[in-house]
Amino acid sequence: RQQYVGKLKFASLEASQGSKKLVVATEKNVVAALNSRSGEILWRHVDKGTPEGAIDAMLIHGQDAITVSNAGRILRSWETNIGGLNWEMSLDTGSFQVASLVGLQDVVKYVAVLKKAAISLHYLSNGHQKWVEHLPGSESTQYQLLYSHGTGVIHVLGIVPQSHLNVLTFSVEDGEITKQVIRVAAPWLKSLNGMCSVVGEAVLVCVDVDTHSLYVCSLETEQEMKQILLQSLDLEFADGFQPRILATQPNVISASRTQFFLQLSPSHFSLLQYKHGLLSHLRDFQQAALVSFATTGEKTVAAVLTCRSELKPGSSDGLHAGSTLEDSRKQESLTCSNQTYNINLYLVETGQRLLDTTITFNLEQSGAKPQQLYIQVFLKKDDSVGYRALVQTEDHMLMFLQQPGKVVWSREESLAEVVSLEMVDLPLTGAQAELEGEFGKKADGLLGMFLKRLSSQLILLQAWTAHLWKMFYDARKPRSQIKNEINIDNLARDEFNLQKMMVMVTASGKLFGIESSSGTILWKQYLRNVKLGSSFKLMVQRTTAHFPHPPQCTLLVKNKETKMSFLYVFNPIFGKKSQVAPPVLKRPILQTLLLPIMDQDYAKVLLLIDDEYKVTAFPATKNVLRQLEEIAHSIFFYLVDAEQGKLSGFRLKKDLTTEESWEVIIPTEVQRIVTVKGKRSNEHVHSQGRVMGDRSVLYKSLNPNLLAVVTESTDTHHERTFIGIYLIDGVTGRIIHSSVQKKAKGPVHIVHSENWVVYQYWNTKARRNEFTVLELYEGTEQYNATAFSSLDRPILPQVLQQSYIFPSAISAMEATITERGITSRHLLVGLPSGAILSLPKALLDPRRPEIPTEQSREENLIPYSPDVQIHAERFINYNQTISRMRGIYTAPSGLESTCLVVAYGLDIYQTRVYPSKQFDVLKDDYDYVLISSVLFGLVFATMITKRLAQVKLLNRAWR
């Protein structure tokens, strides 16, 4: 199991001396502490996955972390050493703006929370509310900033856009407004966030694009803004860019630093100082990607991330200076041609560069750009100051760097959002490949074939002796020193094909190749042109079985906004982009089909259907097009339009155009289509039927073209809500079965396999989760035992149905799959608790009798009981729980008894399951000694008795 936290939203590295942890809050609603030496998770708390659990702010004070979540409704304090909850408080509803720690004299005692219409102050020790005050004029004024610096007052700043600012001053002790409301005219100001900051002793600095100037105003003494033109400092803004101010207040009981960063363009920052009414320019950073402040004691440094050598501007989303404000506008930002970056540190007071503090790192492997920068300042053993940097890139990778650029650790946080997954067999070793072609080809002649066989036997002998030598060499070492490291060079298929390559696609557009038995990431590839929220479909076009042709995977990426798609073709074992050029897709793609036909290089043909119902084949060689013409009459596909409630079927014509063959309309005003589920193409069915108690056979209805369509009612009232299920033949559009579950609602999880469908839903009347199972049978006689055709099926199958009560909700559901389908099937059910339950399909059998008879006992049918119990011994992941499970993937192995399982969500977990026990493997406690000694004894006894018999025969002959 591997655990993740997700993309960072807030991080605190300002740790005390000797501290070994970083406290982070992420976009996945997780609060966690990471070990700064290794990057491992020390503790982690996962909140709800919905917006209710979103973390709005995180503040750190000493050993406590204060978080505000659920849009400002919940205030929590965490103990950062062990991750325990100190206290939790519910706050009044209201739009959350900002939270801040508040100190009095030299002690930080309170936390202030600013909402749209009120400000409240809470004790840090227990979370109790000290006071809450209503903000005057909150209907028209947007209160967005909060500032205090240990003087016993809190300044609250509100803005009436393009009119004026309101400055309120509250007393920390009793919440009284100590000064009357100051109105400061600011007709040019639209918002405070990012455009304004407080520096020094409560001086507000704001930036205005139109007049190319800064405005300053002391919150305590002045009542009007003073304009300072930037031309006086020889600075100017980039066109169309919204400038930002980044200031720092290292300690809440003392004033902010008088120095601040002004961002003039996406890659241009200036370090300015406003002191005693004068604005001075300390240093200019022309080619900076990110900036950040860090403090230790009295010393504050500014960190600036720049390119190492020559530059070329590129287009990307704006990169932000260690801040977490999102900006969706496209901006020119810094792109390094050689993907090497420097982090330089400067003294804030003077802008001087600190010597010997540069941290250099390279992102060549991923090609992603840095997105956030956090600096940790710490005291070394010799009392000198050391610096470490935490960099988050746009592909959600975290890197923790030490001077002069050593990567202490890195974490691939994009794996917290796996969206698609396939398992690919590992390639054969050289020796195994030699064995495959041991006899050569007939064209080589008799002598050539003989020599080929001799050479392959020699290679095998060489490999065997090397293996023996390694075993002998390893046996002399202590076990702890033996390295079983897996790297991309020594990858090879094991005896039973249990080790596989897991190809994972994540939501950020990053692809991973992970070795299944150890979880080692062997390769990773970042697709730069993938927009957030894209959908992915991963298909294996060629496996490793066709040596010397490399395996080939194709990823279809579809942009949600523009609906346009592109194909990315790569080698799943090494992660390299394939030499094969995929077709350019000019129209949005609606459906893809992987056909069983292959081109001359053994790659399966992929059909892509666009919104004009035109078909593109990939690869499109002459050989493929000829094969397509031959089998076009048997290629059918379906399209689903959930918005219009329409399912339509098409058939392929010889000239690769399409023709609509059927259409099913589901009225959208009554119900909407939720899921359409077909069967897996690699599924094998071993037995054609079931032997009943009277020795007759009940034949399964095995329709490979069957689709299970699930609909939900649009009316959400618990009395009128329902779930519909339709079994539709994908070739003819014939509705084979339909049923409605009244007073039921989703989310619906469904598994469709062999001749059965299992789906789970919430029963609103009985207020419980239920399973319904449907099984389809042809009867005691098969209509056509040799071939199946959807076009020739006059008799509808018999449908058996039964429902069961399940005592828990479900996160994911999948059925086990094996190579030949002999092993009995189990349902793998992911529970919200993080456990995976392996449920025998025999428990969900619609033929379970209410009153057992002689025949049902003969058939081994379990008597019907409406409850399906959760037994802890059926959990396949024991204590390795998986947070926020989104899916379960199953794959067959080389052993018929074994099925490989990968569960993914916030964590990734891989294991093997044996639904019918390991019937094809000798047990671990198999008594080899006893069997061997018995065999040797029998052989010895045979030899003695043979000798005795010969002597006896000889003696008899002499008589």
Side-chain angles (χ1 to χ4, degrees):
R1 177 179 69 162
Q2 291 175 349
Q3 295 186 300
Y4 299 96
V5 293
K7 185 184 177 185
L8 293 198
K9 205 171 181 181
F10 307 102
S12 164
L13 316 185
E14 311 271 338
S16 55
Q17 188 180 356
S19 174
K20 296 177 186 171
K21 61 182 180 301
L22 323 171
V23 183
V24 298
T26 72
E27 291 183 3
K28 289 269 165 206
N29 308 350
V30 173
V31 182
L34 305 178
N35 184 336
S36 63
R37 305 280 166 92
S38 63
E40 289 169 5
I41 296 174
L42 297 171
W43 54 264
R44 179 181 76 166
H45 291 288
V46 183
D47 210 335
K48 293 175 188 167
T50 56
E52 284 181 13
I55 296 161
D56 304 302
M58 182 174 82
L59 309 165
I60 303 283
H61 175 64
Q63 298 299 322
D64 295 340
I66 315 291
T67 59
V68 182
S69 52
N70 190 1
R73 287 191 184 89
I74 296 174
L75 187 66
R76 293 191 179 102
S77 169
W78 306 95
E79 207 284 329
T80 56
N81 286 325
I82 54 168
L85 182 68
N86 291 330
W87 48 261
E88 177 180 273
M89 291 296 287
S90 287
L91 305 182
D92 299 334
T93 54
S95 172
F96 171 77
Q97 297 296 332
V98 70
S100 167
L101 295 170
V102 175
L104 202 57
Q105 279 94 33
D106 296 335
V107 193
V108 180
K109 284 185 182 175
Y110 313 106
V111 56
V113 179
L114 178 68
K115 301 251 178 124
K116 187 172 186 286
I119 176 171
S120 57
L121 198 71
H122 300 263
Y123 289 98
L124 261 184
S125 53
N126 54 19
H128 292 321
Q129 185 174 293
K130 184 176 169 81
W131 50 259
V132 59
E133 290 293 331
H134 184 74
L135 299 171
S138 58
E139 296 79 28
S140 58
T141 313
Q142 300 169 14
Y143 289 97
Q144 294 172 338
L145 261 184
L146 185 70
Y147 182 75
S148 79
H149 56 109
T151 54
V153 293
I154 301 171
H155 299 291
V156 176
L157 278 76
I159 178 176
V160 177
Q162 298 183 324
S163 172
H164 63 272
L165 279 171
N166 278 356
V167 182
L168 307 177
T169 308
F170 291 94
S171 160
V172 171
E173 284 301 327
D174 52 10
E176 291 289 317
I177 295 183
T178 54
K179 288 165 72 175
Q180 77 272 27
V181 179
I182 302 173
R183 281 183 60 147
V184 180
W188 44 267
L189 197 56
K190 299 185 186 75
S191 164
L192 290 173
N193 290 336
M195 292 177 69
C196 290
S197 237
V198 180
V199 300
E201 297 273 345
V203 177
L204 180 71
V205 179
C206 289
V207 59
D208 178 27
V209 181
D210 303 330
T211 58
H212 288 274
S213 54
L214 289 178
Y215 285 86
V216 290
C217 167
S218 170
L219 299 179
E220 291 174 350
T221 56
E222 297 170 347
Q223 295 196 9
E224 61 183 49
M225 290 282 207
K226 191 168 82 176
Q227 183 178 5
I228 301 171
L229 289 171
L230 280 181
Q231 286 165 352
S232 60
L233 300 171
D234 293 337
L235 298 174
E236 61 177 62
F237 299 132
D239 292 336
F241 177 74
Q242 180 60 57
R244 307 153 59 85
I245 289 179
L246 180 73
T248 180
Q249 184 182 10
N251 197 337
V252 288
I253 51 176
S254 57
S256 293
R257 291 279 173 202
T258 53
Q259 299 82 12
F260 59 95
F261 272 114
L262 174 64
Q263 187 177 7
L264 303 154
S265 81
S267 59
H268 185 186
F269 292 84
S270 268
L271 183 61
L272 305 174
Q273 172 172 297
Y274 183 78
K275 208 168 187 181
H276 310 311
L278 290 172
L279 183 71
S280 52
H281 183 207
L282 298 177
R283 191 160 186 140
D284 207 31
F285 302 101
Q286 291 280 3
Q287 296 288 356
L290 298 171
V291 295
S292 174
F293 286 112
T295 303
T296 173
E298 295 301 309
K299 186 177 175 184
T300 300
V301 292
V304 180
L305 189 142
T306 57
C307 279
R308 191 169 181 188
S309 59
E310 78 281 358
L311 304 149
K312 58 175 184 184
S315 178
S316 151
D317 292 341
L319 295 171
H320 303 324
S323 66
T324 50
L325 291 158
E326 290 304 319
D327 189 354
S328 57
R329 286 179 43 237
K330 294 277 277 184
Q331 298 165 349
E332 285 284 313
S333 79
L334 197 71
T335 303
C336 294
S337 55
N338 58 358
Q339 292 294 326
T340 308
Y341 296 88
N342 276 351
I343 298 170
N344 288 315
L345 298 167
Y346 300 87
L347 259 182
V348 167
E349 286 83 4
T350 58
Q352 279 179 328
R353 186 163 154 231
L354 295 166
L355 298 173
D356 303 327
T357 58
T358 304
I359 299 174
T360 306
F361 64 98
N362 192 309
L363 292 176
E364 209 162 340
Q365 215 177 354
S366 68
K369 289 194 298 235
Q371 209 168 27
Q372 283 183 323
L373 169 68
Y374 303 93
I375 296 290
Q376 183 184 33
V377 187
F378 64 97
L379 288 171
K380 296 181 183 171
K381 285 177 184 169
D382 57 358
D383 282 351
S384 62
V385 180
Y387 302 93
R388 295 193 191 108
L390 180 68
V391 176
Q392 177 166 278
T393 58
E394 59 186 347
D395 60 355
H396 304 185
M397 182 174 79
L398 287 181
M399 293 170 78
F400 197 55
L401 305 154
Q402 205 169 300
Q403 297 153 313
K406 180 190 168 200
V407 178
V408 184
W409 50 262
S410 65
R411 288 179 65 88
E412 291 290 353
E413 287 304 336
S414 60
L415 283 168
E417 298 180 273
V418 175
V419 287
S420 188
L421 163 65
E422 283 291 340
M423 273 187 162
V424 183
D425 294 351
L426 292 177
L428 298 165
T429 58
Q432 287 167 328
E434 279 294 330
L435 202 61
E436 294 286 320
E438 187 179 6
F439 295 100
K441 297 182 184 71
K442 280 187 179 175
D444 297 344
L446 196 64
L447 185 68
M449 285 165 70
F450 177 67
L451 288 172
K452 179 88 174 75
R453 182 163 190 192
L454 270 181
S455 65
S456 63
Q457 295 282 353
L458 275 170
I459 288 168
L460 284 171
L461 183 69
Q462 198 179 345
W464 184 67
T465 48
H467 174 67
L468 278 182
W469 173 248
K470 187 179 181 298
M471 277 173 64
F472 172 70
Y473 189 70
D474 282 351
R476 293 163 57 196
K477 284 184 181 175
R479 187 169 285 184
S480 59
Q481 287 181 19
I482 300 170
K483 285 186 180 174
N484 286 333
E485 284 182 0
I486 293 169
N487 59 35
I488 217 150
D489 304 321
N490 62 15
L491 268 187
R493 194 179 306 181
D494 59 300
E495 217 170 329
F496 298 124
N497 200 4
L498 295 168
Q499 275 176 273
K500 300 212 177 197
M501 177 68 83
M502 302 193 292
V503 181
M504 294 191 180
V505 185
T506 62
S508 64
K510 196 164 187 183
L511 281 75
F512 291 90
I514 299 177
E515 198 276 327
S516 67
S517 63
S518 65
T520 314
I521 296 175
L522 295 175
W523 58 264
K524 48 197 175 192
Q525 193 70 41
Y526 179 55
L527 306 179
R528 293 289 300 271
N529 46 356
V530 172
K531 292 284 169 286
L532 269 174
S534 297
S535 50
F536 303 87
K537 187 170 182 183
L538 183 62
M539 293 151 287
V540 182
Q541 274 190 290
R542 183 170 52 226
T543 63
T544 48
H546 305 288
F547 185 81
H549 297 290
Q552 180 177 314
C553 274
T554 302
L555 178 69
L556 176 75
V557 184
K558 185 173 181 178
N559 188 330
K560 270 209 171 111
E561 290 166 11
T562 62
K563 299 281 187 274
M564 294 306 285
S565 312
F566 69 89
L567 290 174
Y568 178 74
V569 186
F570 62 99
N571 179 331
I573 302 297
F574 299 107
K576 294 192 176 87
K577 191 173 178 178
S578 173
Q579 304 294 326
V580 183
V584 178
L585 308 174
K586 295 189 171 71
R587 306 279 324 160
I589 298 296
L590 300 180
Q591 179 68 287
T592 60
L593 249 81
L594 204 56
L595 299 179
I597 61 169
M598 293 181 178
D599 70 350
Q600 63 272 27
D601 292 336
Y602 304 102
K604 284 185 181 171
V605 177
L606 182 66
L607 282 192
L608 303 148
I609 296 100
D610 63 25
D611 61 345
E612 291 178 344
Y613 309 123
K614 288 187 179 143
V615 172
T616 311
F618 167 62
T621 57
K622 282 181 184 171
N623 177 6
V624 166
L625 297 173
R626 184 177 49 75
Q627 287 186 69
L628 274 175
E629 264 182 50
E630 287 170 13
I631 65 156
H633 61 89
S634 64
I635 295 177
F636 294 81
F637 61 91
Y638 68 93
L639 297 175
V640 184
D641 187 344
E643 286 174 13
Q644 295 180 10
K646 190 169 84 169
L647 277 122
S648 42
F650 292 81
R651 53 185 279 263
L652 195 65
K653 288 156 76 172
K654 286 198 171 180
D655 56 353
L656 290 193
T657 56
T658 57
E659 171 181 47
E660 189 170 349
S661 53
W662 58 268
E663 188 175 77
V664 174
I665 302 283
I666 290 169
T668 49
E669 56 274 9
V670 182
Q671 54 190 350
R672 57 191 172 86
I673 299 171
V674 186
T675 327
V676 178
K677 189 93 182 223
K679 293 180 185 175
R680 286 175 68 160
S681 56
N682 60 343
E683 181 178 88
H684 290 274
V685 182
H686 182 254
S687 60
Q688 294 286 310
R690 291 176 63 162
V691 180
M692 294 197 288
D694 58 359
R695 293 290 179 270
S696 62
V697 178
L698 186 62
Y699 287 102
K700 295 175 183 175
S701 169
L702 298 168
N703 182 348
N705 308 317
L706 195 65
L707 302 173
V709 182
V710 182
T711 63
E712 272 186 46
S713 61
T714 46
D715 189 344
T716 52
H717 187 272
H718 65 91
E719 285 291 325
R720 296 187 292 275
T721 178
F722 66 85
I723 276 170
I725 182 141
Y726 301 87
L727 299 181
I728 299 176
D729 190 306
V731 171
T732 60
R734 186 182 188 189
I735 297 178
I736 286 163
H737 173 75
S738 68
S739 67
V740 170
Q741 224 85 29
K742 288 183 179 171
K743 294 179 184 170
K745 65 179 220 180
V748 179
H749 294 275
I750 183 165
V751 172
H752 185 190
S753 175
E754 289 192 20
N755 66 322
W756 50 267
V757 176
V758 173
Y759 57 100
Q760 180 264 357
Y761 52 89
W762 172 256
N763 184 330
T764 56
K765 186 182 178 185
R767 302 178 72 80
R768 66 191 180 201
N769 289 285
E770 290 182 3
F771 272 126
T772 294
V773 57
L774 301 171
E775 280 193 13
L776 288 82
Y777 291 99
E778 282 192 32
T780 50
E781 284 183 17
Q782 266 184 307
Y783 173 71
N784 185 342
T786 51
F788 178 87
S789 169
S790 285
L791 303 167
D792 176 28
R793 287 275 136 177
I795 310 157
L796 278 175
Q798 304 169 14
V799 179
L800 307 178
Q801 179 172 344
Q802 218 166 45
S803 292
Y804 297 89
I805 301 162
F806 193 65
S808 164
I810 281 183
S811 316
M813 188 161 71
E814 189 54 90
T816 59
I817 183 168
T818 53
E819 201 157 54
R820 299 179 189 281
I822 298 169
T823 307
S824 56
R825 308 296 292 270
H826 276 210
L827 275 178
L828 300 173
V829 179
L831 307 178
S833 62
I836 304 173
L837 179 73
S838 182
L839 201 63
K841 169 66 182 63
L843 286 175
L844 301 176
D845 188 340
R847 296 185 63 248
R848 282 174 63 176
E850 287 184 37
I851 300 155
T853 60
E854 196 59 46
Q855 284 198 358
S856 70
R857 285 195 198 97
E858 182 79 20
E859 229 183 298
N860 281 336
L861 286 176
I862 309 162
Y864 178 72
S865 134
D867 283 337
V868 175
Q869 299 294 329
I870 294 179
H871 294 296
E873 64 267 22
R874 288 202 180 121
F875 291 154
I876 61 169
N877 56 338
Y878 311 111
N879 63 341
Q880 306 275 308
T881 53
I882 299 124
S883 283
R884 232 181 271 158
M885 202 182 310
R886 277 198 317 281
I888 298 173
Y889 176 87
T890 54
S893 70
L895 285 171
E896 175 53 34
S897 64
T898 308
C899 169
L900 304 174
V901 178
V902 184
Y904 55 91
L906 198 57
D907 306 332
I908 295 173
Y909 175 75
Q910 196 268 340
T911 188
R912 302 171 194 166
V913 290
Y914 315 101
S916 300
K917 304 281 193 305
Q918 285 183 285
F919 59 80
D920 49 4
V921 177
L922 290 175
K923 287 197 175 82
D924 292 339
D925 57 353
Y926 185 77
D927 203 337
Y928 293 96
V929 178
L930 179 68
I931 296 289
S932 307
S933 52
V934 167
L935 279 172
F936 275 122
L938 285 169
V939 169
F940 195 60
T942 311
M943 287 162 70
I944 291 169
T945 47
K946 188 179 176 185
R947 178 78 186 127
L948 289 173
Q950 283 174 342
V951 169
K952 192 177 176 182
L953 279 170
L954 193 65
N955 289 341
R956 190 182 289 172
W958 278 106
R959 276 182 194 158

